[in-house]
Amino acid sequence: QVQLVESGGGLVQAGGSLRLSCVASGSFYIINSMGWYRQAPGKQRELVAVWRSGGAYNYADFVKGRFTISRDNANKAVFLQMNSLESEDTAVYFCTFSGQYGSRWSPLKDYWGPGTQVTVSS
């Protein structure tokens, strides 16, 4: 089964930057979307940024102008460049791929990484 390997999380001071990476262990037959969510303690998971097939990019209002999502040409990786980090950005960040993994016969599913901790100190 697919494995999504995340990296890049850690501890950073307010105003600093981090770059998150998420790499799939195999190939997808088709990908409808790729993106990042986050979840802080006591809160529900929320959308941070997403790329959708057709070339559209969407960002949550609270990260516009600070975060940038990107992907590789092979659709095996998605990245999140985070600049001007604030203490409110502290959360576990999860990457997600939505599509068919392996072949056209595979089910259409959402796939999630294990999460990587981002902690921003003030």
Side-chain angles (χ1 to χ4, degrees):
Q1 57 182 331
V2 65
Q3 297 284 110
L4 301 182
V5 181
E6 298 171 333
S7 63
L11 176 65
V12 65
Q13 291 185 328
S17 298
L18 287 173
R19 185 174 187 263
L20 305 183
S21 298
C22 177
V23 180
S25 62
S27 61
F28 284 79
Y29 176 72
I30 192 170
I31 293 179
N32 293 325
S33 65
M34 305 166 63
W36 293 89
Y37 287 72
R38 72 185 187 186
Q39 187 168 20
K43 294 185 177 180
Q44 291 187 312
R45 185 173 56 191
E46 61 184 353
L47 174 72
V48 176
V50 63
W51 168 87
R52 302 187 188 279
S53 63
Y57 296 87
N58 297 106
Y59 295 90
D61 288 341
F62 53 81
V63 303
K64 286 182 178 178
R66 300 189 297 123
F67 292 7
T68 303
I69 188 172
S70 61
R71 64 185 186 92
D72 72 337
N73 293 331
N75 290 333
K76 287 180 62 69
V78 62
F79 311 95
L80 185 69
Q81 178 66 47
M82 304 185 294
N83 298 326
S84 301
L85 284 162
E86 305 167 352
S87 60
E88 292 79 10
D89 296 317
T90 296
V92 177
Y93 285 70
F94 301 88
C95 66
T96 180
F97 286 41
S98 180
Q100 293 177 281
Y101 177 75
S103 75
R104 69 177 68 184
W105 316 118
S106 300
L108 183 64
K109 293 176 59 177
D110 296 332
Y111 299 89
W112 295 90
T116 183
Q117 178 70 48
V118 171
T119 302
V120 184
S121 62
S122 58

